[in-house]
Amino acid sequence: MSTSPLYFLAGILTGPPVKLLFRLRATGKEHLPAEGGFVLSPNHLSNLDPWPLGLPLFPHRQIRFMAKIELFRSPLWPMLRFGGAFPVRRGEGDTVAIETAIRLAQEGEVVAIFPEGTRRRKGLVKKHRARPHTGAARVALEARVPLIPAAISGTDRITRLGPLRVAYGPAVELDDLRDRDVREAAQVGTDRLMAAIANLEKTL
């Protein structure tokens, strides 16, 4: 799908500085479908993650992503709307947000969903992280679109002008899950997704 005018303008203005100042590098772009909708699912380090995640797709594709509903009650809401965000009520099992994500993916949009739900706290030991949310796998399964894992690094060190890195991986295998119970299929798909993300993080 085409990009919105504001998204296109933001990409034009921020793309060159990000690539030069933060040395943004992306690998695995060959795994991104050229046409049709898909779910793009990375780790989550910072509120800035959608920025480097989406720039390598610019100008051909615009990512759509969930943002907590509180942000839509702030002065930022026009930028969120035109930037591709849609609201989610975190912690409430927001079926409206899931249904919106499914519809967007079916309409050919790139929907970014962070399975970790919230940003990682610095120094948090991996085994103590909260269990990942199954929304990304569920949306991909119900919309019948690819689930693409991704890994991001550097967004949690943005003030140090450190390099930004993004890696995209091959689609997570979901075809064998489509006849299973939705909850079970989404959980198995999420386990596969998190393993793929962890492997991608090792390459950054």
Side-chain angles (χ1 to χ4, degrees), residues 12 28 48 61 76 81 95 104 121 138 145 148 156 177 179 195 204:
I12 290 292
L48 296 174
R61 306 296 295 270
L76 295 174
R81 284 288 187 189
T95 57
L104 290 171
R121 287 178 292 166
R138 179 183 166 187
V145 299
I148 305 295
D156 55 341
L177 305 177
D179 293 330
L204 297 177

Side-chain angles (χ1 to χ4, degrees), residues 168-181:
Y168 307 101
V172 175
E173 177 58 49
L174 298 177
D175 287 343
D176 62 319
L177 305 177
R178 300 195 186 279
D179 293 330
R180 295 196 192 184
D181 172 77

Side-chain angles (χ1 to χ4, degrees), residues 18-192:
V18 170
K19 291 175 181 177
L20 293 174
L21 189 60
F22 296 101
R23 305 180 298 287
L24 174 63
R25 298 290 182 273
T27 59
K29 289 193 288 184
E30 68 274 11
H31 299 302
L32 300 172
E35 297 180 352
F38 62 93
V39 175
L40 184 58
S41 196
N43 57 326
H44 198 8
L45 302 177
S46 162
N47 286 332
L48 296 174
D49 288 341
W51 186 36
L53 182 69
L55 274 176
L57 284 72
F58 183 82
H60 306 293
R61 306 296 295 270
Q62 173 178 354
I63 65 170
R64 306 294 302 273
F65 59 95
M66 295 182 183
K68 58 185 180 180
I69 197 168
E70 292 81 3
L71 293 175
F72 287 85
R73 297 170 183 152
S74 74
L76 295 174
W77 75 265
M79 294 186 64
L80 288 169
R81 284 288 187 189
F82 287 106
F86 56 95
V88 60
R89 292 175 176 83
R90 293 195 304 178
E92 298 181 22
D94 191 351
T95 57
V96 174
I98 292 293
E99 290 170 359
T100 298
I102 292 170
R103 175 180 56 80
L104 290 171
Q106 289 174 332
E107 291 174 353
E109 301 280 4
V110 180
V111 181
I113 301 177
F114 298 92
E116 292 171 325
T118 188
R119 293 168 295 162
R120 296 178 185 174
R121 287 178 292 166
K122 290 183 178 179
L124 189 64
V125 180
K126 287 185 178 181
K127 67 179 180 181
H128 291 153
R129 288 181 194 154
R131 189 168 182 80
H133 299 291
T134 60
R138 179 183 166 187
V139 170
L141 283 162
E142 295 199 31
R144 304 189 74 84
V145 299
L147 174 59
I148 305 295
I152 303 168
S153 70
T155 52
D156 55 341
R157 302 185 302 273
I158 205 78
T159 56
R160 304 180 205 168
L161 300 182
L164 296 177
R165 299 289 183 264
V166 181
Y168 307 101
V172 175
E173 177 58 49
L174 298 177
D175 287 343
D176 62 319
L177 305 177
R178 300 195 186 279
D179 293 330
R180 295 196 192 184
D181 172 77
V182 173
R183 289 178 180 271
E184 178 189 359
Q187 186 59 65
V188 174
T190 300
D191 291 342
R192 294 175 183 177

